[in-house]
Amino acid sequence: MIRPFGISEAGSLALHAMALLASHGKPASTQSLAGQLRASRHHLAKVLGTLARQGLLISRRGPIGGFSLARRPHEITLLDVLDAVEGKPSAGMCIMRTRVCRHGRCMFRGAHTQSLSLFRNRLKDISLAEASASFIFRGEAI
């Protein structure tokens, strides 16, 4: 299957965990989020740590601790979340597994960069509040 924008598993976990936190509006532990998302607790912990270091989450220790959003859900965009985990794409990136084009001339003539730009602009317009309303999470309550 073609994955032109290449959202990694970490990016997917970040988007879903943030949407889950936004939909519940209260702190949640890594373990409860992992159960809800059916994800590896260890991998999710790394992703949540990254989001906290990037200023999108607040982490509190202790029995009533957990992760919570650092800002209100309508102030965080999907692009904020994705860029925090994936980083911003570099100019001239190639979507092919092996780059063979010569002299800097891409066979796609910029179509992939235009598509990526449209995709990123759309993500910039979707708030976490908006996105979380689209999801129905199954599993244990957080």
Side-chain angles (χ1 to χ4, degrees):
M1 180 161 131
I2 296 175
R3 290 181 38 171
F5 305 119
I7 296 174
S8 68
E9 183 181 352
S12 177
L13 279 175
L15 290 165
H16 287 97
M18 293 289 283
L20 183 57
L21 286 167
S23 70
H24 285 284
K26 61 182 182 178
S29 70
T30 303
Q31 185 158 343
S32 66
L33 288 168
Q36 189 79 1
L37 297 172
R38 297 184 181 129
S40 160
R41 184 172 54 88
H42 298 292
H43 190 194
L44 183 59
K46 289 179 184 179
V47 170
L48 295 175
T50 298
L51 291 167
R53 283 188 299 282
Q54 294 293 322
L56 294 177
L57 289 179
I58 297 170
S59 173
R60 290 192 177 87
R61 294 182 182 261
I64 57 169
F67 288 92
S68 57
L69 299 178
R71 300 188 312 250
R72 290 180 283 202
H74 70 275
E75 296 173 342
I76 301 171
T77 69
L78 294 185
L79 186 61
D80 294 332
V81 176
L82 203 56
D83 281 351
V85 175
E86 303 278 1
K88 294 182 181 177
S90 61
M93 69 167 204
C94 183
I95 62 172
M96 303 294 276
R97 288 190 194 270
T98 305
R99 182 179 240 168
V100 296
C101 298
R102 295 190 177 122
H103 311 295
R105 295 191 61 196
C106 175
M107 69 187 308
F108 295 116
R109 302 289 187 254
H112 65 295
T113 55
Q114 289 172 347
S115 297
L116 179 59
S117 179
L118 288 170
F119 179 66
R120 289 180 55 79
N121 283 335
R122 182 64 182 119
L123 292 184
K124 187 172 49 178
D125 292 337
I126 303 172
S127 74
L128 203 51
E130 220 180 324
S132 67
S134 304
F135 292 107
I136 299 173
F137 292 100
R138 296 178 181 89
E140 64 188 58
I142 62 170

